[in-house]
Structures are given as structure tokens and as C-alpha cells.
Amino acid sequence: MSWKLKQIFMSNPNLNNNYPNYENKLQPLMSFDDSELRTLFEKHKNEIMAIVVQEITAYLADEDVCNDDEDMFPRRCEMTGEWYVGEIELWKQNGTILGSVLTRFLGYNPHPSARMPVDDYLGLEVLIIYDPEHETFIFEGGLNSSSI
């Protein structure tokens, strides 16, 4: 990559758990099945975010899924390199604790555009799972991308 990724942090508290975007600068939407999962997230937040950074960096460095070809999405040349966390979710399913961290990347909008010159461009959702035997989160193996 010709640029480095830089995490930015939104300044506006998200007291009503509304949909955050670059324009409203809301902090992440947080969703936990119960208070136990919220506590688990807080305890493992740094570990979870390290997984997120590793996986999004690997995704964007992969020439097969991200490059500057005219018909490619995402295109690195249209991205600023800045990203933020839009949503964090942990839930229980069949006795397993699963999670999702949705990251959002900023991109340039050419003039003239109805959108802001820099705005949301790409969403990357990193899926995680809790390993109770080792009391740690691991990458579940799933990463979903979307245009935003």
C-alpha cells in the first residue's frame, strides 16, 4: 500500500445507539446480548481491536481484493487511509460467544458531488469468536465488505 491506515475516533457520544457515520461523528453503535457480554468486551477490547487491525490491514494489502484498477472496488487511490469503528456487537448463539466489529473507511468524492469531499466509502466487518478454553477472542475467519 502506498498509504498507511490511521484509525480515527468519533467525537460525539452515541447515547441513543443511533447509526453512526462520518458526517454525524457518532461513536460506535454498541450491541450486547447482556451485561456479561459488555463486561467481556471491555476486558478484551485491546485484544479484539488488535485482531481487527490485523485483518483489515491484510485485506487492504491483498492485490486481489483491493487495488487501483478502474473496475475494482475498493480502490486504494479513492481511499484516504483513515478508518473508524462504526459498530461493535457480541451475542450468544448455541452456547458460543460470537462478535462483529464493523469498520468504516473514508474515501474521496470527486467534485461535483452531492456528498462531502471526504466521506464513508468502504465497510469491513470483522467476525470474531470467543475461545473459553484459552479465555481469548480469535478471528472467526469471516470478513465482509460493503460499499457505504
Side-chain angles (χ1 to χ4, degrees):
M1 286 187 288
S2 61
W3 42 258
K4 295 205 182 265
L5 294 178
K6 178 185 176 191
Q7 184 176 4
I8 59 176
F9 298 89
M10 296 298 129
S11 56
N12 296 329
N14 196 348
L15 302 176
N16 296 320
N17 243 2
N18 291 323
Y19 181 85
N21 58 41
Y22 185 64
E23 186 175 2
N24 65 25
K25 306 280 192 275
L26 287 175
Q27 294 170 355
L29 188 149
M30 308 287 270
S31 177
F32 304 101
D33 273 357
D34 55 38
S35 61
E36 176 186 312
L37 291 180
R38 179 179 286 280
T39 301
L40 187 66
F41 170 76
E42 292 299 331
K43 180 179 178 183
H44 293 274
K45 182 178 180 178
N46 291 339
E47 168 190 324
I48 291 169
M49 291 311 299
I51 293 168
V52 169
V53 168
Q54 178 179 333
E55 297 306 323
I56 62 175
T57 300
Y59 180 91
L60 293 172
D62 184 341
E63 288 290 324
D64 291 332
V65 296
C66 183
N67 59 54
D68 287 335
D69 291 346
E70 179 118 0
D71 57 350
M72 173 61 74
F73 181 87
R75 295 180 68 206
R76 287 189 203 121
C77 63
E78 294 179 356
M79 299 173 68
T80 70
E82 295 174 306
W83 65 279
Y84 65 96
V85 175
E87 299 175 39
I88 297 170
E89 182 177 11
L90 291 182
W91 67 94
K92 295 177 183 174
Q93 182 176 323
N94 300 326
T96 302
I97 297 173
L98 302 169
S100 166
V101 178
L102 179 59
T103 60
R104 298 194 173 126
F105 293 80
L106 302 181
Y108 301 105
N109 291 310
H111 181 75
S113 174
R115 297 181 72 176
M116 300 184 306
V118 172
D119 204 356
D120 292 324
Y121 174 79
L122 169 71
L124 290 179
E125 178 186 28
V126 179
L127 303 174
I128 55 175
I129 189 168
Y130 184 67
D131 177 354
E133 181 179 341
H134 297 101
E135 297 182 353
T136 188
F137 278 89
I138 57 175
F139 179 54
E140 189 267 333
L143 195 142
N144 298 318
S145 66
S146 60
S147 170
I148 53 175

